[in-house]
Amino acid sequence: MTMMVAVDDAQKLSFKRPIGDGDTVIVYERHDCMRAVTVSPGSELQNRFGVFKHSDWVGKPFGSKVFSSKGGFVFLLAPTPQLWTLVLSHRTQILYLPDISFVVSCLEIVPGCVVLESGTGSGSLSTSLARAVAPSGHLFTFDFHEQRASSARADFQRNGLTSLITVTVRDIQGEGFPKQHEGSVDAVFLDLPQPWLAIPSASRCLKPDAVLCSFSPCIEQVQRTCETLRSSFTDIRTFEVLVRSYEIKEHCFAKSVSEEDGSPVGPPPQKRKQSTLPANKSEKTESNFSVMAKPCNTARGHTGYLTFARLTVLSN
């Protein structure tokens, strides 16, 4: 059962335009507090910074700083794939930006490519794949769960991606990819419990020398997938992408110096005590600024393994 969402010509992929009625904007409060809001004149957004009227947003460019009646402010950002990944509804486990960027790069996806994805899920990767193949390419994404597919379809329409994505309800593990795609696909991405069952079908769809990627959370899945890949693929490699974020802060340290000759007196005392400086010398305090870095306490750990393989070119 294939369903293609009608293209809305009013929705543009470019954000170099004013915000309009019905647009989705990312309301940015701080780096760890964002939400997706659909602009609707007459509606209001209320948060700890005050009340924000949607009618005040219409006509402003994406990236604008808007103020509430209390003087608080938020930023209205465009729903880019990077930001959408941070605010979307999690219907399934999702891929985050480190994995997504690695996948798009290693699958060699460029504008104009045709890509197959099995395991639409929450649509996090789908959104980035669609942007990568735009404006002339296309993503065909499949999910066996009809409700998930319907929710993802609504998200794609909300973000103006309906001309780039076809959502299909299909069990790829059991049925394989549709025959219409055989020999015409530039890249395949699999996010399945048993990806090895879909590899024969994927190999028939890929163009010669094209790349397949399989995402699996468990190493046992990776082992069996690699065994199946060896029959038709080469350059088989598995990666785990881990990113470590740092907090960068500036700290102020006080230092006591002699006013007479400017020489350091030493570190500030830990407790109050009587000064031992000679009577002809006075003491003053200077501030030194130093940049300090430390790993964030909330670093994201293991998400899954990414296995890449290139379809073998058969010689005549």
Side-chain angles (χ1 to χ4, degrees):
M1 173 181 146
T2 301
M3 299 184 69
M4 183 73 175
V5 183
V7 178
D8 183 358
D9 293 332
Q11 295 185 6
K12 305 295 183 183
L13 293 177
S14 173
F15 299 120
K16 297 178 180 179
R17 58 180 177 82
I19 297 171
D21 183 13
D23 278 343
T24 298
V25 298
I26 306 300
V27 178
Y28 180 100
E29 297 181 18
R30 59 175 187 265
H31 77 280
D32 59 349
C33 185
M34 292 176 275
R35 71 180 79 179
V37 176
T38 301
V39 179
S40 176
S43 298
E44 295 178 340
L45 169 69
Q46 298 186 34
N47 61 16
R48 59 199 177 100
F49 299 116
V51 178
F52 299 85
K53 295 182 178 181
H54 289 200
S55 56
D56 295 337
W57 302 355
V58 175
K60 293 185 180 297
F62 286 100
S64 294
K65 181 179 182 179
V66 295
F67 293 86
S68 70
S69 54
K70 293 170 54 177
F73 63 86
V74 295
F75 292 93
L76 306 179
L77 305 182
T80 62
Q82 294 82 1
L83 293 179
W84 184 251
T85 293
L86 300 177
V87 301
L88 58 76
S89 299
H90 288 206
R91 296 177 287 273
T92 59
Q93 176 187 358
I94 71 169
L95 268 68
Y96 290 93
L97 299 181
D99 285 327
I100 290 173
S101 57
F102 196 71
V103 167
V104 172
S105 177
C106 290
L107 285 181
E108 303 172 358
I109 297 175
V110 296
C113 281
V114 175
V115 180
L116 300 183
E117 176 194 25
S118 182
T120 309
S122 300
S124 174
L125 176 64
S126 308
T127 303
S128 290
L129 292 177
R131 296 285 186 183
V133 303
S136 54
H138 202 84
L139 170 66
F140 296 90
T141 182
F142 302 84
D143 201 296
F144 76 94
H145 193 282
E146 188 159 358
Q147 182 57 49
R148 281 204 299 263
S150 177
S151 298
R153 195 178 293 116
D155 284 345
F156 301 149
Q157 185 173 19
R158 182 181 185 184
N159 289 319
L161 298 173
T162 53
S163 63
L164 297 170
I165 303 178
T166 299
V167 183
T168 303
V169 178
R170 185 181 177 95
D171 179 11
I172 296 300
Q173 289 186 168
E175 303 175 59
F177 291 103
K179 291 185 177 181
Q180 68 192 63
H181 297 301
E182 291 185 0
S184 63
V185 174
D186 298 289
V188 171
F189 180 84
L190 303 176
D191 184 359
L192 299 169
Q194 298 173 295
W196 52 88
L197 297 178
I199 288 173
S201 174
S203 65
R204 292 192 295 269
C205 294
L206 285 169
K207 296 177 181 177
D209 202 39
V211 182
L212 173 146
C213 176
S214 175
F215 173 85
S216 298
C218 302
I219 196 65
E220 292 80 7
Q221 294 169 298
V222 174
Q223 289 177 305
R224 190 159 180 183
T225 299
C226 290
E227 290 172 0
T228 306
L229 286 169
R230 291 191 182 99
S231 62
S232 303
F233 290 81
T234 186
D235 192 23
I236 303 170
R237 295 176 293 168
T238 298
F239 302 89
E240 182 183 24
V241 181
L242 299 175
V243 174
R244 193 176 191 182
S245 300
Y246 277 78
E247 295 178 2
I248 311 297
K249 294 183 179 180
E250 188 176 57
H251 288 265
C252 176
F253 297 92
K255 181 180 70 172
S256 299
V257 297
S258 168
E259 285 188 349
E260 183 174 290
D261 55 11
S263 61
V265 176
Q270 298 300 316
K271 295 182 180 179
R272 288 185 176 273
K273 65 181 181 180
Q274 188 173 358
S275 175
T276 57
L277 287 175
N280 62 341
K281 288 189 176 182
S282 60
E283 182 182 335
K284 67 177 182 179
T285 301
E286 288 185 353
S287 296
N288 284 347
F289 290 91
S290 178
V291 175
M292 301 185 67
K294 68 172 184 176
C296 294
N297 296 326
T298 56
R300 185 173 287 113
H302 171 78
T303 55
Y305 300 101
L306 294 168
T307 299
F308 296 88
R310 188 177 297 274
L311 186 66
T312 304
V313 178
L314 299 177
S315 57
N316 296 327

